[in-house]
Amino acid sequence: MIPRYSRPQMTTIWEPANKFRIWFEIEAHAADKLAELGVIPTQSAKLVWEKGDKPYTQDRIDRIDTVEAEVKHDVIAFLTELSEQVGEEARFVHQGMTSSDVLDTCFNVQLTQATDILLEDMDKLLAALKKRAYETKDVPCMGRSHGIHAEPVTFGLKLATFYAEFKRNRDRLVAAREEIATCAISGAVGTFANIDPSVEEHVAAKLGLKPEPVSTQVIPRDRHAAYFAVLGVIASSIEHLATEIRHLQRTEVREVEEFFSKGQKGSSAMPHKRNPVLTENLTGLARLVRSMAIPAMENVALWHERDISHSSVERNIGPDATVTLDFALMRLANVVENLVIYPERMDEILNQMGGLVFSQRVLLTLTQYGVSREDSYRIVQRNAMKVWNREGDLLSLLKTDEDVTAKIPTDKLEALFDLGYHTKHVDTIFTRVFAD
């Protein structure tokens, strides 16, 4: 990803220094177990750590790149440079292993490292949503269906809805991390013919992974498909919340607004503009992350025990999906934390349509006074349509409708237009959402 949409703590995971460090640890831990099994000399395994356990400086990385330019194989280039560090005893490195053992295990380590950051991001976003939800728990605002006024909700309830959605996403991400955290040290075509399965178990334990039950020559890519699919779902939820904010910031609505800092400018041409640029940006980034789920799914169908058609895909989507999602989650958390909320405007909009939002309650009350549902609907709707045509407010019109007044006493009718009726169970919902 370009620096504009990247955070250093995530990009570091995908830099060559971290990748080669993980490769080294895979090889060194495998050598330790091979020495314990008597396959290689104990002293040789010790020398791998003593001479090879150094930072992967730019000079070392450049050397690996130089070798790879000649041999056209990244793992061989890595092993060549390592042998230059370790010396003659390096001949015992990579015993019985194949390149995929290193590449696949490393990729899964990087994905788990990235996921740990994403989980921290999710926690920050959830904390922001919870804080703002409780702040606005009792702030009434218009609920909409099809973009049209429906019935009252509270803004806190809106945010609680998104909190619950992202809590589900966090659970999905935990499960995705669990599924992706596997290790394969099984050798060519995955039969362990030239390396004992206990080596895989040892390396897995050292790296915080689990042995892959059956790895052919690669770790099965359905795991990765599921992982990137979860990232895509999280991205969709980011867009869901971003779209809500964008709609509510429209000039005609203006119930909320992204924080507009001093000195910020919204348009090169129109000095008055205050645009929802952050949430628009998040909508775009969400599209990008989602787009990476499809190639991950197409990677599942590899030829026989392995091919490398997945490799070029993963070298791109691994960094790009996690770096982009990390940036997007942190940007969204910041948007929520600093969101400007206008309760007065929410109240103004609630009263904008002359009481139409109470139509269902009138309908239901008529049925309780003995009117059929069909007739009740017809009576309320004909009055509601007059409100749409700016011929009065709903309560006043209903008070002049004999079909209504013949059934519902005036005091009962007026009581139906109580906003609190619609928010009486907000506490119950909050208890459900935030019970943990």
Side-chain angles (χ1 to χ4, degrees):
M1 281 300 297
I2 62 174
R4 184 182 183 92
Y5 302 125
S6 306
R7 297 199 313 141
Q9 50 266 65
M10 184 63 87
T11 57
T12 298
I13 290 171
W14 301 103
E15 289 173 356
N18 187 54
K19 178 183 73 173
F20 291 137
R21 175 65 198 181
I22 297 168
W23 288 13
F24 170 77
E25 290 187 7
I26 293 168
E27 297 284 6
H29 288 310
D32 284 344
K33 189 62 180 181
L34 288 167
E36 182 183 316
L37 294 171
V39 177
I40 67 173
T42 300
Q43 184 59 27
S44 298
K46 288 181 178 178
L47 284 173
V48 172
W49 285 104
E50 289 175 8
K51 295 186 175 183
D53 189 7
K54 307 172 184 175
Y56 276 88
T57 61
Q58 192 58 51
D59 286 344
R60 292 189 72 184
I61 294 168
D62 289 343
R63 174 58 182 157
I64 294 170
D65 290 342
T66 299
V67 176
E68 184 180 358
E70 177 185 350
V71 302
K72 307 297 191 293
H73 195 293
D74 53 356
V75 175
I76 291 175
F78 164 80
L79 293 171
T80 298
E81 193 277 339
L82 182 60
S83 70
E84 294 171 354
Q85 300 289 332
V86 174
E88 183 182 349
E89 301 302 314
R91 70 185 187 275
F92 295 112
V93 174
H94 207 66
Q95 287 279 312
M97 295 170 60
T98 188
S99 298
S100 294
D101 292 336
V102 178
L103 295 170
D104 280 13
T105 299
C106 174
F107 188 45
N108 284 4
V109 170
Q110 289 174 299
L111 289 176
T112 57
Q113 290 176 341
T115 306
D116 289 340
I117 293 177
L118 293 175
L119 288 168
E120 292 176 2
D121 298 342
M122 294 282 279
D123 288 340
K124 291 176 182 176
L125 175 57
L126 287 167
L129 285 168
K130 182 175 182 179
K131 178 176 179 289
R132 301 310 302 273
Y134 270 98
E135 286 176 1
T136 57
K137 178 170 68 75
D138 299 314
V139 175
C141 65
M142 181 56 66
R144 298 170 175 88
S145 58
H146 305 275
I148 306 301
H149 289 197
E151 292 189 356
V153 295
T154 73
F155 192 72
L157 192 57
K158 278 180 179 282
L159 294 180
T161 300
F162 287 107
Y163 178 93
E165 182 171 343
F166 279 101
K167 180 64 169 62
R168 292 191 296 273
N169 281 328
R170 191 189 190 285
D171 293 341
R172 292 179 184 120
L173 192 55
V174 169
R177 187 194 188 285
E178 177 74 13
E179 184 169 5
I180 206 67
T182 64
C183 167
I185 308 290
S186 54
V189 299
T191 60
F192 296 101
N194 295 298
I195 192 164
D196 192 275
S198 65
V199 177
E200 181 182 72
E201 293 169 4
H202 177 78
V203 174
K206 290 294 184 180
L207 298 177
L209 306 175
K210 298 172 299 185
E212 182 64 47
V214 54
S215 56
T216 65
Q217 192 166 315
V218 293
I219 290 174
R221 258 43 195 186
D222 62 287
R223 292 184 182 276
H224 301 79
Y227 178 86
F228 286 99
V230 168
L231 299 194
V233 172
I234 295 170
S236 294
S237 293
I238 289 173
E239 183 176 10
H240 184 196
L241 178 48
T243 300
E244 179 73 16
I245 293 170
R246 289 171 62 195
H247 277 305
L248 296 179
Q249 185 165 336
R250 286 178 299 128
T251 308
E252 295 81 1
V253 181
R254 204 169 175 239
E255 293 185 353
V256 304
E257 187 177 40
E258 290 180 11
F259 177 73
F260 197 84
S261 61
K262 184 177 181 180
Q264 183 175 343
K265 293 177 172 59
S267 167
S268 63
M270 297 168 283
H272 71 277
K273 294 298 292 296
R274 287 160 66 135
N275 303 324
V277 291
L278 298 179
T279 45
E280 287 176 338
N281 169 254
L282 288 169
T283 298
L285 294 178
R287 294 170 184 166
L288 189 58
V289 174
R290 269 200 309 275
S291 73
M292 300 176 203
I294 296 299
M297 293 179 186
E298 292 175 344
N299 279 350
V300 174
L302 302 179
W303 285 19
H304 307 302
E305 278 61 53
R306 83 171 291 227
D307 67 55
I308 63 164
S309 60
H310 64 285
S311 177
S312 57
V313 174
E314 291 170 352
R315 288 172 193 256
N316 281 278
I317 67 173
D320 284 359
T322 53
V323 169
T324 306
L325 190 61
D326 168 55
F327 181 88
L329 284 168
M330 290 306 296
R331 168 155 286 184
L332 184 58
N334 182 66
V335 168
V336 173
E337 287 171 1
N338 296 289
L339 189 67
V340 182
I341 300 167
Y342 297 111
E344 297 84 1
R345 177 59 179 160
M346 293 177 180
D347 185 65
E348 181 182 339
I349 288 175
L350 274 170
N351 296 304
Q352 195 174 62
M353 293 302 293
L356 286 183
V357 295
F358 300 103
S359 68
Q360 181 181 190
R361 196 175 180 200
V362 178
L363 162 68
L364 296 176
T365 302
L366 282 169
T367 64
Q368 292 167 0
Y369 277 93
V371 183
S372 71
R373 184 175 179 88
E374 292 74 15
D375 287 342
S376 297
Y377 195 104
R378 177 180 52 79
I379 292 167
V380 177
Q381 187 185 42
R382 74 186 180 207
N383 286 283
M385 293 306 100
K386 292 179 182 179
V387 178
W388 276 103
N389 293 329
R390 302 180 183 277
E391 297 175 23
D393 66 88
L394 185 59
L395 178 58
S396 298
L397 290 167
L398 291 173
K399 285 181 176 180
T400 63
D401 190 319
E402 293 182 358
D403 288 336
V404 176
T405 57
K407 295 293 183 178
I408 307 176
T410 301
D411 60 334
K412 296 283 187 181
L413 183 61
E414 291 174 347
L416 300 181
F417 287 72
D418 174 22
L419 186 62
Y421 176 85
H422 291 273
T423 60
K424 62 181 181 293
H425 292 303
V426 169
D427 284 338
T428 299
I429 298 171
F430 264 60
T431 299
R432 289 179 175 183
V433 172
F434 300 107
D436 57 336

